[in-house]
Amino acid sequence: MSTSSTVRPLSPCVQICQIEPSTSLCNGCGRTLDEIAVWGAMTETEKAPVWERLESEGYVSKD
């Protein structure tokens, strides 16, 4: 479970921008095109469930 003290980078982007057609997810960061498009405008509260999904799916480390 994430807490407000969790330190995360500004973005999960790893500069590997390739959208997988079958899943509509970026092969690099695991976000959808919609999530990528609005990421800069999202609040930390809105980003939290996306971060949790990316962590649980192995796109980013929980450490």
Side-chain angles (χ1 to χ4, degrees), residues 4-55:
S4 60
S5 64
T6 301
V7 177
R8 292 182 170 127
L10 294 176
S11 169
C13 181
V14 295
Q15 306 296 311
I16 302 171
C17 305
Q18 299 173 343
I19 302 302
E20 175 59 46
S22 64
T23 62
S24 297
L25 295 177
C26 175
N27 288 327
C29 69
R31 293 179 293 169
T32 65
L33 283 174
D34 288 342
E35 290 167 342
I36 293 168
V38 299
W39 190 261
M42 292 171 74
T43 66
E44 291 305 312
T45 301
E46 292 168 331
K47 291 177 184 177
V50 178
W51 277 114
E52 290 169 10
R53 177 179 56 80
L54 298 177
E55 289 165 354

